[in-house]
């Protein structure tokens, strides 16, 4: 055990400076090193006969040095060591540039392993600067070699050496999984898994190792989730009187969609059941989740109780306040607002009104959790964009009532089965239908050469009375030095110069909440033509008059993020466009962006995203309240996830605190700790 917790500085060749560089990869201890799995492998296990070398292909050969290596100084500062190497099938000319010591390292007549890219000069086969090792001490040749993710100051060789040394140092590999689990699921031992994930004996061993490590990771994840979700047997809750919802529907400016009605029916029946509701409403941006919240608050108010709704940003809280006031005031439901940016006086008034029972629904930001906010008769807690909040925040809000009903809403489209696993026994309603008359947003992918035409298009929209969103990947110019990356502030200045007669404004996360709100309200009021922003507008803002969104450096955004951004437009009666501007030439980037031009369904996009990017990136952005997994592909390894989850639950049923499995418990605690508040 002890050895796994040792710092990497215990390994040969890793001093404090190297250790600092390793830390950038999240590697502090030997355990971290062993859990840093290779990104891919280079198969150097197969020796190619020299006669079979193909120019341009990297491969391993086993060859004898056939001529005396000679050192030539071509010109100043350029030294070449050249010789012929041969095997039974043929000969190859090997050259080392600026490695004069190779002349003495290599002995004529002896056999070595070489790994490098083959080339040809006329009929002669050549290889330049191949890795060269003694046959009996081969480390980088003659086997399957791991390829790790590197960073400045840490090379492949550093990582490979560290992984090998860490494996050598650890004499005991504690098996986190109980033997009955490894037996029941045919999993290999931990030691075999760790050795073979780094240095696979062959590809079959690698598969066996991977299978075990994926299972282990998902098993730990399932234990951690179980621990956080706690006991999920239904709890008694306030039974609100059933009310005739059609009365509420009659007061609305539109008729609810079928999906909205189904979600609302589920919510109403939960709240009158006598058990506390715990329901997630999942629906793409624009699917109309707010109405479900309104109906729930309506029923609660009808029963003589109070509701609270928490949103992640000021802008969103205010927008909800306005929308919900419009939807609910015709039914006599009184809505209040409480946010952090209100003046002390405004807050005092709001709190006094609350205490006096003047509000049936309080809408706000985190401010609603503060201890001095009293919510008398609280029976319903609504959390919008729930992944933006931690478990503690949701718990703190729920603690303001006596086992209140809980409704959480999320637009993050994740594969359905996964949602059920992440959210535990939460009931899930999915709104899979957009309100009628919604025009699909036409999405175009262009590069810098379209700039002039794009500017013309922007002007045309504004001249027709519309408004335009422009999104940039960063706030200021000094933030990220990557060339060509647009900053919101600079780009706003550029646009103001191009459109000197139009009203251009800029909004980003560095502004104070109040300033941000002010700019957005002016945009909402039609006092701004072009709003340049960072992703602060990603969540929720509804401006029906905006019909064009331009996203600069689009390759910098995740697909799910682009989808959320694009959801800001196409909300009014106007034909809408989203223009992705990108000069990225790399294939994956282009392919990803093309997906946006073809698909409009959030679920489909997230699945494609998962397929193209891999889950590391997808889940790495912490959009899902899940920790980053090292080896599992949470989308693709779904079946294993379900099996591991069942096994974990069975184990925890007999040992709820994992006290009989201390090593496993340690791993579960480490996962909870590193995931921080992101677990939901
Ligand atoms: P979400 O929160 O799911 O992204 P919203 O609740 O903000 O979506 O609704 C998006 C827009 O659709 C709002 O402008 C809302 O007024 C409108 N809307 C919602 N439901 C309907 C409906 N059934 N018919 C027409 N418009 C609707
Ligand atoms: Mg919403």
């Amino acid at each position: 055990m002890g050895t796994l917790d040792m710092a990497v500085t215990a390994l040969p060749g890793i001093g404090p400076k190297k250790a600092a560089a390793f830390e950038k990869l999240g590697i502090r201890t030997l355990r971290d090193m062993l859990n840093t799995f290779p990104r891919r492998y280079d198969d150097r296990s197969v020796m190619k006969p020299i006669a079979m070398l193909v120019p341009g292909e990297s491969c391993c050969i086993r060859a004898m040095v056939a001529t005396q290596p000679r050192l030539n100084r071509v010109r100043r500062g350029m030294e070449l060591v050249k010789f012929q190497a041969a095997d039974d099938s043929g000969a190859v000319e090997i050259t080392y540039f600026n490695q004069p010591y190779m002349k003495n390292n290599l002995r004529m007549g002896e056999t070595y392993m070489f790994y490098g890219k083959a080339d040809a000069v006329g009929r002669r086969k050549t290889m330049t600067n191949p890795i060269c090792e003694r046959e009996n001490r081969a480390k980088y040749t003659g086997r399957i070699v791991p390829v790790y993710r590197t960073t400045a100051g840490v090379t492949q060789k550093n990582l490979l050496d560290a992984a090998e040394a860490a494996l050598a140092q650890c004499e005991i590999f504690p098996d986190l999984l109980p033997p009955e689990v490894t037996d029941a699921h045919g999993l290999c031992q931990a030691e075999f898994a760790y050795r073979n994930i780094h240095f696979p004996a062959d590809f079959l061993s690698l598969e066996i190792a991977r299978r075990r490590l994926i299972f282990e990771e998902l098993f730990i994840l399932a234990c951690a989730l179980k621990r956080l979700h706690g006991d999920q047997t239904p709890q008694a809750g306030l039974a609100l009187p059933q009310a005739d919802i059609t009365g509420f529907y009659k007061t609305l400016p539109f008729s609810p969609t079928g999906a909205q009605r189904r979600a609302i029916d589920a919510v109403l029946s939960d709240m009158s059941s006598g058990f506390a509701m715990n329901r997630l409403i999942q629906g793409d941006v624009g699917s109309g989740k707010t109405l479900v919240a309104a109906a729930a608050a309506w029923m609660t108010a009808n029963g003589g109780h109070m509701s609270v709704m928490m949103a992640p940003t000021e802008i969103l809280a205010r927008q909800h306040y306005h929308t919900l006031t419009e939807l609910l005031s015709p039914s006599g439901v009184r809505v209040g607002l409480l946010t952090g940016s209100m003046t002390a006086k405004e807050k005092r008034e709001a709190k006094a009104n609350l205490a006096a029972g003047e509000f049936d629904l309080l809408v706000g930001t985190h401010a609603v959790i503060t201890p001095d906010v009293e919510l008398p008769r609280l029976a319903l807690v609504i959390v919008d964009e729930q992944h933006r909040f931690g478990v503690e925040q949701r718990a703190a809000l729920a603690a303001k009532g006596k086992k209140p009903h809980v409704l959480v809403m999320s637009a993050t489209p994740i594969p359905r089965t996964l949602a059920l696993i992440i959210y535990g026994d939460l009931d899930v309603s999915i709104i899979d239908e957009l309100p009628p008359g919604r025009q699909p947003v036409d999405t175009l992918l262009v590069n810098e050469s379209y700039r002039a035409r794009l500017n013309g298009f922007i002007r045309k929209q504004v001249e027709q009375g519309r408004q335009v969103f422009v999104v940039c990947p960063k706030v200021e110019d000094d933030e990220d030095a990557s060339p060509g990356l647009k900053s919101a502030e600079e780009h706003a200045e550029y646009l103001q110069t191009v459109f000197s007669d139009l009203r251009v404004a800029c909004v980003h996360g560095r502004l104070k909440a109040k300033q941000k709100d002010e700019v957005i309200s002016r945009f909402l009021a039609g006092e701004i033509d072009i709003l340049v922003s960072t992703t602060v507008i990603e969540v929720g803002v509804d401006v029906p008059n905006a019909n064009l969104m331009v996203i600069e450096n689009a390759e910098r955004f995740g697909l799910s993020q682009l989808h959320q951004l694009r959801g800001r437009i196409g909300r009014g009666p106007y034909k809408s466009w989203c223009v992705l501007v990108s000069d990225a030439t790399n294939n994956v980037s282009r392919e990803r962006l093309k997906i946006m031009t073809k698909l409009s369904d959030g679920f489909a996009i997230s699945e494609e995203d998962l397929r193209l990017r891999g889950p590391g990136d997808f889940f790495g952005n912490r959009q899902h309240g899940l920790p980053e997994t090292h080896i599992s592909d949470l989308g693709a390894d779904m079946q294993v996830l379900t099996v591991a989850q069942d096994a974990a639950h069975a184990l925890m049923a007999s040992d709820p605190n994992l006290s009989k499995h201390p090593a496993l418990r340690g791993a579960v605690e480490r996962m909870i700790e590193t995931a921080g508040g992101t677990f939901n």
Side-chain angles (χ1 to χ4, degrees), residues 284-361:
D284 212 347
V285 277
S287 60
K289 294 184 290 294
T290 319
L291 180 67
V292 181
W298 174 85
M299 174 168 174
T300 307
N302 258 323
H305 287 267
M306 192 190 160
S307 313
V308 62
M309 178 175 192
M310 179 163 73
T313 65
E314 287 277 331
I315 296 169
L316 201 54
R318 284 174 191 271
Q319 183 145 29
H320 277 320
Y321 170 70
H322 291 297
T323 315
L324 290 165
T325 306
E326 272 171 35
L327 293 175
L328 289 166
S329 58
S331 313
V333 177
R334 301 158 302 171
V335 186
L337 176 71
L338 183 66
T339 71
S341 75
M342 285 167 47
T343 63
K345 181 158 168 278
E346 289 168 331
K347 280 185 207 157
R348 249 196 330 273
E349 278 173 17
K351 286 176 198 167
N353 280 332
L354 275 172
E358 297 283 328
F359 296 141
D360 303 303
L361 166 63

Side-chain angles (χ1 to χ4, degrees), residues 31-51:
R31 175 186 290 107
D32 296 337
M33 183 61 236
L34 292 182
N35 281 303
T36 300
F37 302 125
R39 256 189 328 121
R40 59 182 183 84
Y41 300 85
D42 243 355
D43 186 3
R44 301 183 192 168
S45 63
V46 182
M47 298 289 139
K48 254 204 171 163
I50 290 173

Side-chain angles (χ1 to χ4, degrees), residues 254-257 260 283-291 320 323 384-385 411 435-436 438 540 542 544 568 571:
F254 47 68
S255 164
T257 63
Q260 282 171 322
D284 212 347
V285 277
S287 60
K289 294 184 290 294
T290 319
L291 180 67
H320 277 320
T323 315
D384 193 19
E385 306 293 342
R438 194 72 49 90
D542 200 6
R568 301 297 115 235
R571 293 185 155 222

Side-chain angles (χ1 to χ4, degrees), residues 175-187 189 212 651 660-661:
D175 215 312
L176 300 179
L177 296 177
E180 64 269 22
V181 172
T182 47
D183 289 353
H185 299 280
L187 302 171
Q189 297 300 301
R212 142 87 201 204
L651 181 75
K660 287 182 225 133
H661 301 89

Side-chain angles (χ1 to χ4, degrees), residues 13-90:
I14 302 189
K17 207 167 152 200
K18 203 40 100 186
F22 267 70
E23 189 150 352
K24 280 190 274 174
L25 293 168
I27 306 171
R28 275 176 219 97
T29 62
L30 301 196
R31 175 186 290 107
D32 296 337
M33 183 61 236
L34 292 182
N35 281 303
T36 300
F37 302 125
R39 256 189 328 121
R40 59 182 183 84
Y41 300 85
D42 243 355
D43 186 3
R44 301 183 192 168
S45 63
V46 182
M47 298 289 139
K48 254 204 171 163
I50 290 173
M52 308 271 284
L53 292 185
V54 177
E57 232 173 60
S58 293
C59 59
C60 245
I61 58 173
R62 191 174 157 278
M64 188 185 76
V65 174
T67 64
Q68 187 60 47
R70 292 230 313 265
L71 177 64
N72 298 319
R73 293 204 163 75
V74 192
R75 56 184 137 86
R76 247 152 65 108
M78 171 73 95
E79 293 171 313
L80 300 184
V81 173
K82 247 193 207 319
F83 57 93
Q84 297 281 324
D87 65 9
D88 295 347
S89 73

